[in-house]
Amino acid sequence: MSVELPFAPVDSIIRRNADGLRVSQAAAEELATRIQNRGARLAAGAAEEATVDGRKTLMAADFGVSEVVDAERLELPIAPVDRIARLDIDESYRVSMDARIALAQLLEAYADDLAGAAATLARHADRRTVKAEDIQTYIQLVE
């Protein structure tokens, strides 16, 4: 599974949570991979919800999102999120635009949580750079 997300928006998400810390390229790559894996799992669950309802189109409600934000407010681009949504679901499923935005909304919130925690760990380690190991450590702590 290749990383579908461009690193620039992921780097921006880390930076907005890092409060002046630097961000290593490896941290952006690690977070992009985590976002992609989570997105594929969420889409697979949404496909199951759609199937239960007798649909082949994923909707925002299948992701548990009742209010979809304006796509312009999101850092994550919708096209790569759409490709992530399709990684682990059958090609016969369609993904509505609201579902794509809802998934991007969920993934961005997830990325904000990870990035904020990684920045805290970097500060705790008395470093000025958020590294991939900060993201990995946080994942290990919460799982």
Side-chain angles (χ1 to χ4, degrees):
M1 178 178 348
S2 66
V3 174
E4 297 285 338
L5 280 175
F7 295 139
V10 175
D11 182 80
S12 294
I13 291 170
I14 298 172
R15 286 181 192 284
R16 79 175 176 215
N17 287 280
D19 195 34
L21 295 177
R22 290 179 282 195
V23 179
S24 73
Q25 180 178 348
E29 290 174 12
E30 180 69 25
L31 185 56
T33 300
R34 300 286 179 167
I35 292 169
Q36 178 172 305
N37 291 340
R38 177 142 179 132
R41 284 193 312 271
L42 289 172
E48 290 176 15
E49 290 290 324
T51 301
V52 167
D53 288 346
R55 291 181 282 109
K56 286 289 189 178
T57 301
L58 276 58
M59 309 299 283
D62 297 324
F63 290 98
V65 174
S66 58
E67 186 177 329
V68 178
V69 300
D70 181 15
E72 297 295 320
R73 293 180 44 203
L74 297 172
E75 191 74 39
L76 295 177
I78 302 304
V81 170
D82 180 47
R83 290 191 298 273
I84 289 168
R86 297 170 191 279
L87 285 173
D88 291 344
I89 63 173
D90 187 88
E91 64 185 36
S92 64
Y93 285 97
R94 291 175 291 173
V95 183
S96 72
M97 182 54 79
D98 278 353
R100 295 173 203 169
I101 297 169
L103 180 57
Q105 181 179 334
L106 291 172
L107 293 177
E108 194 158 321
Y110 172 72
D112 279 328
D113 289 343
L114 283 179
T120 299
L121 289 171
R123 279 189 214 89
H124 181 72
D126 203 26
R127 281 189 275 105
R128 294 182 1 188
T129 304
V130 177
K131 297 182 175 184
E133 67 190 51
D134 299 318
I135 294 168
Q136 294 163 353
T137 299
Y138 179 69
I139 293 292
Q140 289 174 349
L141 289 172
V142 296
E143 287 183 347

